[in-house]
Amino acid sequence: MLLIACPYCGNRPETEFRCGGQAHIARPEQPGALDDQNWSEYLFVRKNPRGVHAERWNHAHGCGRWFNALRDTVTDRFIETYPMGERPRSEQGGATAPAATSDIQSEARA
Amino acid sequence: MAQPFRLSRGGRIDRSRPIVFEFNGRPIHGYQGDTVASALIANGIHLVGRSFKYHRPRGILSHGPDEPSALLSVDRGPGRVDPNNRASVVEARAGLRTKSQNHWPSLEYDIGAVNDLLSPVFVAGFYYKTFMWPRKFWDRVYEPFIRAAAGLGKAPTQADPDRYANRHAHCDVLIVGAGPTGLAAALAAARTGKRVIIADEGPEPGGALLHDPKAEIDGRLASEWLAETLADLDARENVILLPRTTVFGYYNHNHVAMAERVTDHLPSAAGQAPRERLWQVRAGEVVLAGGAHERPLVFADNDRPGILLAESVRVFLNRYGVAPGNRLVVATSGASAYQVALDAKSAGLDVTLVDLRLETDCGPEVTRLRQAGVEVLTGHTVVGSKGRTRVSGLIVAPVESNGRCGARRVIACDCVGMSGGWTPAVHLFSQSRGKLRYDDGLDAFVPGTSAQAERSAGAAKGTYDLAACLNEGFAAGAAASGSSETHSFGASATLTGFQPVRVMPTDADPKKVRAFVDYQNDVTAKDIKLAVREGFQSIEHVKRYTTTGMATDQGKTSNMNALGIVAGQLDKALPAVGTTTFRPPYTPVTFGALVGPARHALFDPIRTTPIHGWAESHGATFENVALWRRAWYFPKAGEDLHAAVARECKAVREGVGIFDASTLGKIEVVGPDAAEFMNRMYVNPWAKLANGRCRYGLMLKEDGYILDDGVVARVSDECFHVTTTTGGAARVLGHMEDYLQTEWPDLQVFLTSTTEQWAVIALQGPKARNVIEPLVDGIDLSPDAFPHMAMRTGTICGVPTRLFRVSFTGELGFEINVPTDHALAVWEAIYAAGQPHGITPYGTETMHVLRAEKGYIIVGQETDGTVTPDDVGLAGMIAKTKVDFVGKRSLARPDVVATTGRKQLIGLMTEDPKLVLDEGAQIVADPNQPIPMRMLGHVTSSYWSPNCDRSIALALVADGRALMGKTLHITTPDGFTRATVSEPVFFDTKGERVNA
Amino acid sequence: MRRFSLTSLLSESMRGHTGWGRQWRAPEPKPRYDVVIVGGGGHGLATAYYLATVHGITNVAVLEKGWIGGGNTGRNTTIIRSNYLYDESAALYEHALKLWEGLSQELNYNVMFSQRGVLMLAHNIHDVQSFKRHVYANRLNGIDNEWLSKEECKEFCPPIDISSHLRYPVLGGALQRRAGTARHDAVAWGYARGADARGVDIIQNCEVTGIRRDASGTAIGVETNRGYIGAGRIGVVAAGHTSTVMNMAGVSMPLESYPLQALVSEPVKPIFPCVVMSNAVHAYISQSDKGELVIGAGTDQYTSYSQQGGLHITTHTLDAICEVFPQFTRMRMLRSWGGIVDVTPDRSPIIGKTPVQNLFVNCGWGTGGFKATPGSGHVFAHTLATGTPHAINAPFSLDRFRTGRLIDEAAAAAVAH
């Protein structure tokens, strides 16, 4: 069972959380403007990387807040957790996981 | 004579407390402190089981959890019988009834032993090569035969009277193993004030010190040091010492699982205490000090009862005060077994030692042993053993310089202690995903790179000298506590070092030698070589093909020998063959411990409404809906479901019924942007919904399929009272929160679950208004002032209410939301006020029938996650002017806009009005078409409708709306029946009654 | 190929089994193959076998980065059934089940396919409706599946507790009698031996590190830790690692990989006559030929390549097992392990073409791929041999996520209520 650092509550066991899958996939501003291919990619295509993965978690049985995390999917080690709408610290010149940065899309939101 | 092999003195057993238990029906005498194994040995019993495949006689190999052979069924009383207990671990106590397993008719005369004669056929993987003809024989003959032969003990068949507990704990330092290493670690960690848990699988902490009475630590006897250390730890409030507690699993992020055996060793089932307790510990740091396992020697017939691991001989002698025999041969390739011989000699046994190593490769231990008067044969191999149900001789031969064996010699004996060296117990380290490293000098895999916050110390990392273990343990405990303190222990020297050996050199025909590697699964060195010859070269393949290492001991004694044999056969270095990954559990753990108290109501919580007690006392039958327990129907005397529902259905349409709808999910959507948020979440338009009005809301997932539905009331400009399905409440709130927090954080909206705050009393039927009129204040109930799909606030029975005029029955109806605390009082008041009107309580079944009569869908019944609003005739709900809402884009997908082929909600009227279709029945146009048939759809809801006096059904049918009036064929349990397609509404088709 | 039979076994036992050769060779990779299959699990090996036997294409390599059958093939709970709801799924799994029924003889390798029946328990009214929907649909598709009352469930599988005090009492069940279990490792080995005998190269410890494409974007070969291997066509059958391999060709997949756990008890004498599945309480249990109770747990909630899940998943599964089989609390968990399952948005597999010419994929089997092994290999071999899908796998295209023609068995079991 993972130990997850909720940015608002601190370390809590995984059973308090719900994983929300890949992070930083912003909902299109105008879904109607997307063709079927692009819409299906938004809905269904996922990076599913081996290694550092940006993903969403919800502290469902705690504060109820959503937040983002960088986790290595090979070791299951968390590199960091950070609030929604923010970018990972390691992307901003942090020492850890430089590989992560190229792996993350650059939408400003979500 | 009782206990003929009990030594006259020594051991840590309590000779003042004799006990008697049973083995195969005969009384066994022992003492408090014995294991079943030590007591059996004290009574001269070595034959305790039959092996898995060949039914060979087997004895006790080990003194600990690595025991592969001595597996017994243990009976602790009615319902407390379980198989496959390791005799070396089960603590002896009065009243135990133990039995050997896997033989017929008896342990001594086992018909299954005929397999041993067929062993030339029953080699590794033989079953993959045969049992294929004739084909039908597999299921009927071969497989039942194999299954009957396989398996060890018998599974329990009765319910277990014991209970199991579960405990979660946190600590700074968790120490695995309370041998000298672990205790030294605990001393160091305890001093720092950190919270320490130290767990040991044995009943008594001390580990190897318990069978090393002559050892000295810091100038005093080890037993004194042990007592002082335990007293020291015991006095500290920051230390929890758990005996009988096996650390069995090392999971992510230092989540460590331990099984504590609480009562099995106690004479009675011990009242209120649980049998076992699962500890789930989240540790800051872990110190792994779980020791090492001794390797057997692989030689012909190395499995006879009386052949033990050498160190186990020493444990039985020193810790339990029993002699595994009178004439002992110690066979070894290393130094530690010399201590066994010394101790046995001083206990009065007749001892010979055979050492594979050349004299020149040995240390001073040889001289020491000879000085003690023991014959030592260095440079000798073991080529076989004699005896049947007990070893009677060991066949040894010198290994000449050319590698050949010299003249054989049989050493008569009744006991053999063998040692092929040591394997550090790296199981937990490996479970933690640390990388193992092969150490040539130790001939073993040892902990390499850590993956989690842990460190190994002592024998668990290949350190065998007592002083070194203590020092290493202390340093590890200190480091784990953030301290750099060290301590230099003085201790008596330990005999260490061994020469690796895979299979003992032999002069015998290799085809005939059966030298066991995995005792329990009857895997021989020959089997492993065969597997390699057949191309199974990864150790994982060898394991799976031969089953070596797959038995209940999970290869603790066999893995290194197997690995070595594979490496030798492939002529590769051992690490190139790899090691198998260790998985939890370290030793088998009862399902009971893992389950703990999570049974029945604690398996999943039961949610009940404030009306639950009333419903119970009024005879309701209940059904499970999600976590809720809901009143299903209210039978009167003599009524079955059918009769009760028929009565309830009539009562609602003709008079008034009362229904507990409290389980509906409720969410308060509040804030300046509440309407905008609702617009984005639901298909419907919300901006223009007037305060005090309701709308049926339909919510989609982003893929365009229906997620949930429910009536929504606008309480004020900035407040919506949203209802959801009973099962969907949490899902819908989660769905809303997800979008609100992650997609539209700019919207000023707050979401609050109010499911538990509002109880909902549904009052339905033409007389509903009459019933509540006298009870309601502050609300004009007249139809004009309070029309259908409106919501008003006021009081009922003096209690604040949000009163909805809504209907899920098609009748005039109210859903009375009141604070949960007052719900029962209001319910009772309404029920009393309704008596003159014949008020009838009804349950979920009637609710289902009434809504089906009206064609109202239930999400999850008419929809199944592949259904769009248009499919169920609700396209009209979709706001035409909204640019976007969740799911809108998917409604433009090719499959959704397809003009034909979508399954649409329709009604079905069976030609036989008495016949009620099965829900889930499939629908075809032509029942005479060949299989596979083209199915048009299925029946989603089907009931006997008392109000229509016939059966009714709803169905999803491909292009169903174009089939009105057509006849379709519906499956029945024994064929097909005919039904006519109709509009999906069967009662009050114009929908006038709700406006009454 | 040395034929396996009682005669050959007996004759070998006379001479210490020294005459058995390798069940498959360990060849060095050739520079080029007509077809390269990435992934030496059951599906990949079956594909190679049917390429050779059905289509006569034998210049084939199966590249396995570890040891064959070491992924989900060797880690699953071996449940085999075909009573799926939708026509497309039913056709696929029934195709597989029919092949299972003759597989030991076909391969001359006893895969121990045991038609002991799979019983799915219904614990609420919704289950009852859903299972009957399956039973009826299966009947019209020619697939055996029958509804049992709870008493009939008890009769078929005596260990089941059908008393009403359970948290979710058993209301009945759907039984497919032709369903059952098989020996998972033997499936991989049997296909490997059969394919090898017909000339297929099975290359273990060979990890694909890249997919080479020509100027037109067509896939022409794979880079591996043992050098470049050219390929006429490439079939990726890499289960949990499919996303990683497909990314090498620039193809993003609608897949996520999750840890899936399973466990076995200590072996006991026969006690459990069939397979029981209980979706409502998430429990799957059978007894192996060796006597172990084999229990499948659920997936963890996060993606991971660690083959290790949380203890709470295991304990929750055992909670469910002991709720339905309370007498098993004194049984012991002997071994637990994890696999990596690749899951698609509709929980159905993807078998077919990809946007890259000559690159094909067979993936997304989620938690239930083992049962499909022969059928999956058979139709994928057809796809690779002819360049177009077999009628049975045509609906399982990658393209369905664009067109919306999803095959959502999980949704059909509808969780909402």
Side-chain angles (χ1 to χ4, degrees):
Chain A
M1 194 197 301
L2 306 178
L3 187 66
I4 302 172
C6 170
Y8 309 99
C9 308
N11 281 328
R12 298 297 173 88
E14 181 198 330
T15 43
E16 292 184 13
F17 296 84
R18 275 215 330 266
C19 186
Q22 185 178 328
H24 306 295
I25 306 173
R27 189 171 185 272
E29 289 280 356
Q30 290 181 302
L34 267 59
D35 64 15
D36 288 333
Q37 185 61 36
N38 283 312
W39 180 243
S40 108
E41 283 177 15
Y42 162 71
L43 284 184
F44 300 128
V45 171
R46 295 295 177 264
K47 287 202 176 103
N48 197 26
R50 256 181 86 84
V52 177
H53 184 39
E55 64 192 1
R56 309 175 331 130
W57 286 88
N58 177 228
H59 195 185
H61 301 288
C63 64
R65 303 280 293 268
W66 281 92
F67 59 92
N68 293 320
L70 287 188
R71 183 176 56 87
D72 187 318
T73 61
V74 176
T75 63
D76 289 332
R77 195 173 62 87
F78 280 99
I79 292 140
E80 62 173 295
T81 55
Y82 53 100
M84 274 294 152
E86 293 187 9
R87 308 299 308 171
R89 285 181 299 280
S90 45
E91 191 181 55
Q92 295 143 16
T96 50
T101 54
S102 60
D103 201 39
I104 295 163
Q105 296 171 356
S106 54
E107 303 94 32
R109 297 188 333 173
Chain B
M1 188 178 77
Q3 307 193 47
F5 288 85
R6 183 75 66 181
L7 300 174
S8 57
R9 60 197 165 76
R12 299 182 73 92
I13 42 157
D14 184 349
R15 291 172 194 257
S16 68
R17 295 168 67 192
I19 53 171
V20 185
F21 66 95
E22 266 182 29
F23 173 67
N24 285 350
R26 66 181 265 201
I28 302 294
H29 296 266
Y31 294 113
Q32 186 69 34
D34 263 325
T35 61
V36 166
S38 69
L40 287 170
I41 290 174
N43 287 264
I45 296 171
H46 281 260
L47 172 63
V48 295
R50 291 277 175 169
S51 68
F52 193 78
K53 192 154 86 172
Y54 304 129
H55 291 248
R56 285 171 66 99
R58 289 282 163 80
I60 295 156
L61 182 76
S62 145
H63 67 280
D66 49 353
E67 173 62 50
S69 298
L71 302 181
L72 305 178
S73 158
V74 173
D75 177 347
R76 295 182 169 87
R80 295 189 166 93
V81 187
D82 43 276
N84 304 345
N85 292 276
R86 288 154 295 168
S88 53
V89 170
V90 178
E91 292 175 61
R93 66 161 172 81
L96 280 187
R97 284 187 292 184
T98 66
K99 280 185 192 150
S100 51
Q101 306 180 147
N102 204 32
H103 48 66
W104 188 86
S106 75
L107 176 60
E108 289 74 17
Y109 303 99
D110 177 15
I111 295 289
V114 71
N115 287 0
D116 203 27
L117 302 174
L118 294 172
S119 66
V121 183
F122 293 171
V123 293
F126 76 96
Y127 30 76
Y128 300 125
K129 294 175 178 149
T130 183
F131 297 137
M132 288 181 269
W133 310 269
R135 209 179 93 183
K136 283 185 179 152
F137 270 42
W138 173 252
D139 283 342
R140 294 182 195 163
V141 180
Y142 301 135
E143 193 185 37
F145 173 77
I146 289 174
R147 283 176 176 266
L152 290 165
K154 291 187 181 126
T157 51
Q158 286 177 278
D160 185 351
D162 282 324
R163 90 187 165 79
Y164 299 81
N166 193 347
R167 180 162 171 187
H168 294 263
H170 294 260
C171 67
D172 300 308
V173 182
L174 173 68
I175 298 163
V176 180
T181 309
L183 289 171
L187 277 179
R191 280 184 204 176
T192 65
K194 293 285 171 79
R195 292 170 303 164
V196 177
I197 295 176
I198 174 168
D200 192 278
E201 61 195 343
E204 190 182 3
L209 298 179
L210 300 173
H211 65 267
D212 200 358
K214 290 170 199 151
E216 291 186 1
I217 298 173
D218 282 350
R220 51 206 186 284
L221 278 178
S223 55
E224 289 167 23
W225 181 86
L226 176 60
E228 280 169 33
T229 301
L230 293 176
D232 179 322
L233 295 174
D234 193 42
R236 294 178 189 267
E237 288 196 350
N238 59 329
V239 179
I240 298 172
L241 196 161
L242 295 168
R244 298 188 178 88
T245 303
T246 304
V247 181
F248 69 83
Y250 200 137
Y251 297 88
N252 267 317
H253 302 172
N254 269 8
H255 181 235
V256 179
M258 328 198 289
E260 181 186 6
R261 291 167 295 282
V262 184
T263 59
D264 268 359
H265 65 290
L266 299 173
S268 66
Q272 294 304 303
R275 178 181 180 221
E276 294 175 5
R277 179 180 291 122
L278 174 70
W279 287 73
Q280 299 193 57
V281 181
R282 188 73 74 168
E285 295 274 342
V286 176
V287 176
L288 297 171
H293 297 120
E294 197 168 25
R295 298 177 200 165
L297 292 172
V298 181
F299 58 87
D301 302 319
N302 58 345
D303 63 329
R304 297 199 197 284
I307 301 181
L308 288 76
L309 292 169
E311 191 73 2
S312 296
V313 171
R314 187 163 173 240
V315 172
F316 287 119
L317 288 168
N318 294 340
R319 179 166 172 189
Y320 299 106
V322 297
N326 294 319
R327 305 186 65 185
L328 170 70
V329 181
V330 176
T332 184
S333 68
S336 65
Y338 282 73
Q339 192 63 53
V340 180
L342 281 169
D343 289 3
K345 182 71 182 169
S346 63
L349 277 66
D350 181 5
V351 184
T352 310
L353 186 137
V354 183
D355 193 337
L356 181 66
R357 297 177 300 170
L358 298 174
E359 184 106 9
T360 49
D361 294 336
C362 298
E365 62 271 11
V366 178
T367 319
R368 243 182 92 196
L369 193 55
R370 286 193 178 129
Q371 281 168 355
V374 173
E375 183 187 10
V376 179
L377 303 170
T378 54
H380 273 64
T381 182
V382 181
V383 296
S385 73
K386 298 216 168 262
R388 199 178 71 81
T389 59
R390 177 79 184 264
V391 66
S392 63
L394 197 66
I395 312 168
V396 305
V399 184
E400 324 239 299
S401 54
N402 58 11
R404 298 221 180 106
C405 294
R408 289 179 167 210
R409 168 181 161 192
V410 178
I411 308 173
C413 63
D414 58 359
C415 174
V416 174
M418 59 181 166
S419 177
W422 293 87
T423 309
V426 293
H427 303 69
L428 292 170
F429 173 80
S430 175
Q431 284 184 29
S432 81
R433 295 196 238 168
K435 277 211 166 47
L436 294 170
R437 174 178 67 79
Y438 180 73
D439 185 307
D440 227 358
L442 292 166
D443 183 44
F445 286 95
V446 293
T449 317
S450 286
Q452 302 202 39
E454 52 70 42
R455 65 205 72 220
S456 297
K461 66 182 281 197
T463 302
Y464 302 120
D465 178 70
L466 177 56
C469 284
L470 290 161
N471 294 340
E472 209 170 273
F474 192 93
S481 320
S483 152
S484 57
E485 196 187 351
T486 57
H487 185 87
S488 184
F489 289 88
S492 42
T494 312
L495 295 173
T496 63
F498 63 92
Q499 171 185 320
V501 53
R502 310 304 173 205
V503 181
M504 292 293 266
T506 182
D507 52 2
D509 177 356
K511 290 199 285 271
K512 297 199 172 140
V513 168
R514 282 200 292 155
F516 287 88
V517 176
D518 184 315
Y519 284 76
Q520 191 183 118
N521 276 353
D522 276 340
V523 181
T524 63
K526 207 165 51 183
D527 287 319
I528 293 171
K529 289 175 182 169
L530 171 63
V532 173
R533 237 180 6 254
E534 290 194 85
F536 297 91
Q537 306 198 333
S538 153
I539 187 63
E540 285 289 350
H541 274 161
V542 173
K543 254 181 79 169
R544 287 157 181 264
Y545 192 64
T546 64
T547 74
T548 187
M550 309 279 278
T552 63
D553 60 313
Q554 290 286 289
K556 290 187 181 63
T557 53
S558 61
N559 275 347
M560 279 305 288
N561 284 336
L563 206 54
I565 293 167
V566 174
Q569 192 77 356
L570 292 172
D571 201 20
K572 281 187 182 172
L574 199 138
V577 180
T579 183
T580 60
T581 312
F582 294 96
R583 300 279 184 187
Y586 171 64
T587 54
V589 182
T590 61
F591 289 2
L594 293 164
V595 169
R599 304 277 304 282
H600 306 330
L602 294 180
F603 171 67
D604 247 359
I606 298 173
R607 296 178 78 178
T608 57
T609 74
I611 317 300
H612 189 80
W614 188 94
E616 275 184 322
S617 64
H618 285 73
T621 299
F622 292 88
E623 69 161 335
N624 289 310
V625 181
L627 291 178
W628 293 94
R629 201 145 276 180
R630 300 192 73 178
W632 190 14
Y633 58 99
F634 288 83
K636 290 190 165 173
E639 281 184 341
D640 60 5
L641 168 72
H642 188 77
V645 170
R647 173 179 51 73
E648 291 172 13
C649 283
K650 286 267 188 201
V652 173
R653 297 242 184 263
E654 289 165 10
V656 60
I658 185 169
F659 174 72
D660 179 7
S662 302
T663 63
L664 280 180
K666 281 141 278 183
I667 300 166
E668 199 92 338
V669 178
V670 179
D673 297 317
E676 173 61 20
F677 180 69
M678 291 295 290
N679 263 341
R680 296 185 193 184
M681 296 307 302
Y682 282 85
V683 306
N684 322 67
W686 299 98
K688 291 182 182 155
L689 183 66
N691 294 342
R693 295 308 301 247
C694 303
R695 181 161 288 159
Y696 169 75
L698 197 58
M699 176 180 262
L700 309 184
K701 291 178 291 173
E702 202 70 276
D703 63 9
Y705 298 128
I706 295 172
L707 172 68
D708 206 81
D709 68 350
V711 169
V712 177
R714 189 162 200 167
V715 179
S716 69
D717 288 352
E718 299 190 359
C719 176
F720 291 84
H721 177 123
V722 171
T723 68
T724 76
T725 57
T726 293
R731 191 162 49 238
V732 170
L733 180 63
H735 180 72
M736 287 181 166
E737 279 287 0
D738 190 348
Y739 277 89
L740 180 59
Q741 289 186 37
T742 71
E743 296 294 347
W744 308 312
D746 51 312
L747 292 185
Q748 293 221 27
V749 176
F750 298 91
L751 305 172
T752 308
S753 167
T754 53
T755 303
E756 300 275 0
Q757 277 62 44
W758 293 113
V760 183
I761 301 164
L763 201 65
Q764 301 279 315
K767 294 180 181 167
R769 188 182 289 112
N770 308 72
V771 173
I772 55 165
E773 214 148 29
L775 307 177
V776 172
D777 283 313
I779 302 172
D780 180 351
L781 294 178
S782 65
D784 292 339
F786 190 16
H788 180 54
M789 295 302 272
M791 188 278 292
R792 299 286 180 268
T793 56
T795 63
I796 182 164
C797 311
V799 173
T801 181
R802 282 184 184 169
L803 184 60
F804 285 65
R805 187 172 162 196
V806 291
S807 174
F808 199 44
T809 59
E811 298 299 321
L812 164 68
F814 298 93
E815 290 188 357
I816 304 153
N817 284 249
V818 289
T820 299
D821 289 350
H822 298 288
L824 182 57
V826 173
W827 174 284
E828 287 179 330
I830 295 171
Y831 190 65
Q835 289 306 316
H837 306 284
I839 192 168
T840 300
Y842 67 96
T844 50
E845 187 66 18
T846 292
M847 178 267 282
H848 276 110
V849 176
L850 294 173
R851 66 89 205 174
E853 289 175 344
K854 292 294 299 174
Y856 300 151
I857 66 160
I858 287 186
V859 170
Q861 187 156 348
E862 272 65 40
T863 73
D864 65 3
T866 64
V867 173
T868 67
D870 184 57
D871 295 343
V872 285
L874 294 175
M877 297 288 158
I878 300 172
K880 306 286 183 293
T881 54
K882 288 201 289 187
V883 177
D884 189 22
F885 55 80
V886 173
K888 180 177 169 73
R889 172 62 186 82
S890 289
L891 296 181
R893 230 174 26 215
D895 67 309
V896 178
V897 297
T899 48
T900 60
R902 290 216 59 94
K903 291 181 179 170
Q904 298 167 333
L905 186 72
I906 49 125
L908 284 176
M909 309 271 252
T910 47
E911 288 191 356
D912 172 3
K914 300 279 182 221
L915 180 76
V916 179
L917 296 169
D918 263 356
E919 287 169 346
Q922 293 288 330
I923 299 162
V924 298
D926 172 13
N928 298 315
Q929 63 185 304
I931 281 173
M933 292 195 188
R934 180 166 177 264
M935 287 171 255
L936 300 177
H938 74 286
V939 175
T940 59
S941 293
S942 172
Y943 306 95
W944 172 255
S945 163
N947 295 302
C948 304
D949 196 28
R950 60 156 298 132
S951 75
I952 56 169
L954 297 171
L956 284 169
V957 171
D959 302 317
R961 288 201 284 269
L963 297 174
M964 289 301 150
K966 296 267 171 25
T967 299
L968 295 175
H969 300 264
I970 327 293
T971 55
T972 61
D974 43 15
F976 286 91
T977 191
R978 294 153 65 91
T980 308
V981 177
S982 72
E983 292 293 334
V985 52
F986 304 94
F987 185 82
D988 180 29
T989 50
K990 291 186 181 148
E992 290 164 341
R993 295 171 70 96
V994 287
N995 296 318
Chain C
M1 184 176 85
R2 176 86 185 274
R3 214 178 144 67
F4 291 158
S5 67
L6 185 58
T7 322
S8 63
L9 183 66
L10 288 176
S11 84
E12 276 301 325
S13 61
M14 300 296 161
R15 50 176 182 146
H17 297 274
T18 49
W20 297 117
R22 301 185 61 106
Q23 295 193 359
W24 57 89
R25 297 162 296 127
E28 283 302 311
K30 293 192 266 185
R32 189 182 182 283
Y33 292 91
D34 294 338
V35 179
V36 164
I37 293 164
V38 181
H43 291 246
L45 293 163
T47 304
Y49 176 82
Y50 293 114
L51 274 172
T53 55
V54 177
H55 303 281
I57 300 173
T58 56
N59 185 28
V60 174
V62 178
L63 310 184
E64 167 53 49
K65 74 170 178 171
W67 36 284
I68 59 167
N72 296 337
T73 300
R75 293 167 187 274
N76 75 92
T77 53
T78 81
I79 296 171
I80 294 164
R81 62 182 181 91
S82 67
N83 51 353
Y84 280 70
L85 178 65
Y86 289 121
D87 298 347
E88 298 88 343
S89 319
L92 176 61
Y93 291 102
E94 179 64 15
H95 181 55
L97 183 52
K98 291 217 168 81
L99 290 170
W100 276 114
E101 285 175 327
L103 194 60
S104 291
Q105 290 70 29
E106 161 85 23
L107 296 177
N108 180 234
Y109 208 102
N110 190 351
V111 299
M112 304 186 188
F113 177 49
S114 172
Q115 293 183 292
R116 36 208 309 105
V118 172
L119 176 61
M120 304 172 80
L121 296 179
H123 294 272
N124 55 49
I125 291 165
H126 182 263
D127 278 352
V128 175
Q129 293 162 352
S130 168
F131 288 7
K132 287 194 174 172
R133 187 179 169 193
H134 281 69
V135 166
Y136 283 122
N138 291 154
R139 192 173 93 196
L140 302 190
N141 269 323
I143 293 168
D144 76 303
N145 193 12
E146 58 197 276
W147 173 256
L148 300 189
S149 69
K150 68 176 178 180
E151 291 78 15
E152 289 167 328
C153 289
K154 176 88 182 162
E155 196 183 332
F156 188 74
C157 182
I160 298 174
D161 185 346
I162 58 166
S163 60
S164 58
H165 67 269
L166 300 194
R167 176 66 182 85
Y168 299 109
V170 174
L171 304 182
L175 170 65
Q176 185 177 27
R177 293 182 194 270
R178 287 164 62 234
T181 57
R183 173 89 183 103
H184 51 16
D185 294 324
V187 176
W189 302 339
Y191 274 119
R193 175 168 164 268
D196 174 271
R198 289 161 180 85
V200 171
D201 282 357
I202 292 159
I203 304 167
Q204 302 186 81
N205 300 309
C206 182
E207 181 170 4
V208 170
T209 54
I211 293 177
R212 197 181 283 183
R213 299 164 66 181
D214 67 11
S216 71
T218 302
I220 54 168
V222 294
E223 314 283 351
T224 78
N225 60 343
R226 295 171 71 169
Y228 173 75
I229 302 173
R233 284 183 177 144
I234 301 170
V236 176
V237 201
H241 301 285
T242 301
S243 295
T244 311
V245 176
M246 294 301 289
N247 271 335
M248 296 171 190
V251 180
S252 298
M253 296 294 290
L255 288 173
E256 291 186 296
S257 297
Y258 295 94
L260 176 69
Q261 297 183 71
L263 63 102
V264 293
S265 74
E266 295 180 336
V268 287
K269 291 293 176 193
I271 179 97
F272 208 85
C274 60
V275 181
V276 169
M277 305 176 63
S278 173
N279 293 335
V281 296
H282 300 292
Y284 315 88
I285 179 170
S286 63
Q287 188 174 17
S288 71
D289 282 340
K290 198 161 178 278
E292 297 158 333
L293 295 178
V294 181
I295 294 169
T299 52
D300 283 83
Q301 57 172 332
Y302 50 86
T303 61
S304 177
Y305 290 84
S306 66
Q307 295 192 331
Q308 187 185 55
L311 175 63
H312 60 293
I313 304 291
T314 310
T315 57
H316 186 68
T317 298
L318 287 172
D319 294 349
I321 292 291
C322 292
E323 182 69 4
V324 183
F325 308 100
Q327 66 276 34
F328 288 158
T329 49
R330 296 181 90 88
M331 293 290 292
R332 295 187 200 91
M333 173 169 84
L334 171 60
R335 192 167 65 244
S336 68
W337 64 91
I340 309 168
V341 298
D342 48 324
V343 178
T344 64
D346 64 359
R347 309 294 194 274
S348 286
I350 299 166
I351 319 168
K353 296 183 184 184
T354 73
V356 174
Q357 191 68 28
N358 288 348
L359 180 67
F360 298 80
V361 71
N362 181 350
C363 65
W365 291 95
T367 61
F370 178 73
K371 66 175 73 68
T373 305
S376 159
H378 191 264
V379 298
F380 195 48
H382 176 99
T383 309
L384 281 167
T386 64
T388 51
H390 189 283
I392 288 177
N393 67 311
F396 294 89
S397 69
L398 181 56
D399 199 41
R400 72 179 186 271
F401 298 99
R402 180 180 63 79
T403 63
R405 300 190 64 84
L406 306 187
I407 305 163
D408 201 336
E409 292 280 335
V415 279
H417 203 65

